[in-house]
Amino acid sequence: MRQLKERNRCNRSVRHLKIQAKIWLKNLKSGLDQIRESQVRGTRTNFLHDGSFHEAVAPVLAVAQCFCLMPVSGIGAPTYRGLSFSRRSWRFWYSSLYLCSTSVDLAFSIRRVAHSVLDVRSVEPIVFHVSILIASWQFLNLAQLWPGLMRHWAAVERRLPGYSCCLQRARPARRLKMLAFVLLAVSLMEHLLSIISVVYYDFCPRRRDPVESYLHGTSAQLFEVFPYSNWLAWLGKIQNVLLTFGWSYMDIFLMMLGMGLSEMLARLNRSLEQQVRQPMPEAYWTWSRTLYRSIVELIREVDDAVSGIMLISF
């Protein structure tokens, strides 16, 4: 009798475990089905990178256009063939309006210096405005050359040795995006900290409200001509943000060009390292020399196009 009771107890335990296991498996299956339905199936385009500089630099150029720089159409196109420049596009007029507003702001800054004591602190806004104005004009001229420059760049890229895998093709774009993100984030942090320091630690406020005092100080050259108003103060602050972005973007843009050109030389160098100990025909070394000369010519063309921006950056 005791063995029979123990056997029945074991059978009940086994049946209970089977029921619980079925319930658990049913809940697990329903959860997996929900996860599967909520996911979007990846397509080939999600993992496809051509490794071109046009593809890598497009997101950073899009950010620059939000701040009135590089008015080139078609930067989001799959290839360089979609690039174009037109004086009738809204991007061109947007950049032209920015140049006009910067020129007007510069005129007010010069007027303020002319009616005050001449020293380093008073001349600093003039140097800042002149530098950004020249750089913005150089970016506008570069926008006209950009489609042809990218055409030449793509022609050289097509002759380079190919990447061995999709991860290598995605690496240039990933590096450029990371560079731009880190430097823009650091620049934004520096600008926000400077705002906080002025708003909360201004020992000689111009107005009773600390925010109004900061806005008044940011656009002091305007309020020596016009009476203070909030809308004019915020317009002056927007102008200041645009100028500050252009000040930082010059260096980032030149770094991206340098990284793109160095990647070309690195690809050629990797090919030479793979073949250097093998008996290669003369045609291979002729091809390598010709390709190297093509990269050097592209570097010279890029240097001619961005020499003005490089001078202002230095």
Side-chain angles (χ1 to χ4, degrees):
M1 290 295 294
R2 185 180 299 175
Q3 293 179 353
L4 182 61
K5 288 182 180 179
E6 291 180 356
R7 187 180 302 171
N8 292 334
R9 189 182 304 166
C10 291
N11 291 335
R12 285 196 300 269
S13 300
V14 171
R15 285 197 299 269
H16 179 72
L17 289 176
K18 288 182 179 180
I19 294 172
Q20 292 297 326
K22 289 181 180 179
I23 296 174
W24 183 79
L25 289 174
K26 184 178 179 181
N27 294 333
L28 178 62
K29 184 177 182 299
S30 62
L32 292 176
D33 291 339
Q34 292 178 0
I35 294 174
R36 192 179 297 110
E37 291 175 358
S38 63
Q39 289 179 340
V40 179
R41 182 175 178 82
T43 60
R44 184 171 180 267
T45 56
N46 298 123
F47 306 97
L48 185 62
H49 293 276
D50 57 8
S52 66
F53 182 75
H54 166 74
E55 177 196 47
V57 81
V60 187
L61 292 182
V63 174
Q65 290 187 353
C66 296
F67 292 86
C68 311
L69 299 176
M70 287 296 291
V72 183
S73 301
I75 57 174
T79 64
Y80 69 92
R81 294 183 178 87
L83 293 171
S84 63
F85 175 83
S86 175
R87 296 181 183 275
R88 298 179 181 179
S89 65
W90 64 268
R91 294 176 177 85
F92 173 78
W93 291 107
Y94 186 36
S95 299
S96 299
L97 180 62
Y98 169 64
L99 287 173
C100 293
S101 64
T102 304
S103 301
V104 172
D105 202 14
L106 172 61
F108 283 115
S109 298
I110 294 175
R111 180 190 179 279
R112 187 187 182 197
V113 172
H115 290 79
S116 62
V117 179
L118 186 64
D119 56 10
V120 175
R121 184 176 295 274
S122 62
V123 174
E124 179 185 355
I126 296 180
V127 176
F128 179 70
H129 282 75
V130 169
S131 300
I132 301 302
L133 184 62
I134 296 175
S136 302
W137 181 259
Q138 291 292 328
F139 273 114
L140 184 60
N141 292 333
L142 178 61
Q144 304 180 46
L145 305 174
W146 193 254
L149 188 62
M150 288 296 99
R151 190 180 305 112
H152 186 188
W153 196 303
V156 177
E157 281 182 331
R158 284 195 298 268
R159 299 174 56 190
L160 288 169
Y163 291 104
S164 59
C165 62
C166 60
L167 293 179
Q168 286 191 358
R169 288 196 299 270
R171 186 180 61 179
R174 185 171 61 251
R175 290 179 61 197
L176 291 184
K177 291 176 184 177
M178 182 60 66
L179 168 74
F181 173 77
V182 171
L183 294 183
L184 288 177
V186 172
S187 178
L188 177 61
M189 184 184 302
E190 187 271 338
H191 188 66
L192 292 178
L193 290 176
S194 68
I195 293 175
I196 293 173
S197 65
V198 173
V199 170
Y200 288 97
Y201 300 101
D202 189 1
F203 296 103
C204 298
R206 297 175 175 84
R207 305 180 72 83
R208 187 169 300 176
D209 184 11
V211 177
E212 287 188 4
S213 178
Y214 169 74
L215 294 175
H216 189 282
T218 302
S219 306
Q221 68 276 9
L222 298 178
F223 301 120
E224 290 187 356
V225 179
F226 305 103
Y228 179 84
S229 61
N230 286 328
W231 69 269
L232 187 59
W234 282 109
L235 284 179
K237 180 56 186 174
I238 293 173
Q239 178 71 28
N240 178 260
V241 170
L242 295 176
L243 293 173
T244 305
F245 175 84
W247 183 267
S248 302
Y249 185 77
M250 283 190 295
D251 304 329
I252 298 173
F253 182 76
L254 293 175
M255 290 180 191
M256 291 190 303
L257 290 179
M259 291 174 65
L261 294 171
S262 65
E263 176 65 18
M264 287 186 168
L265 293 172
R267 288 172 63 178
L268 177 59
N269 191 53
R270 286 194 294 266
S271 175
L272 293 174
E273 287 178 348
Q274 293 174 0
Q275 310 296 340
V276 68
R277 296 186 181 278
Q278 300 180 14
M280 302 300 294
E282 182 181 352
Y284 172 79
W285 301 109
T286 303
W287 169 82
S288 300
R289 174 65 179 174
T290 305
L291 182 56
Y292 174 76
R293 290 299 306 170
S294 300
I295 299 175
V296 171
E297 291 173 1
L298 176 63
I299 293 174
R300 290 177 177 174
E301 184 177 352
V302 172
D303 182 62
D304 291 339
V306 302
S307 57
I309 301 175
M310 194 179 302
L311 176 63
I312 297 299
S313 177
F314 283 136

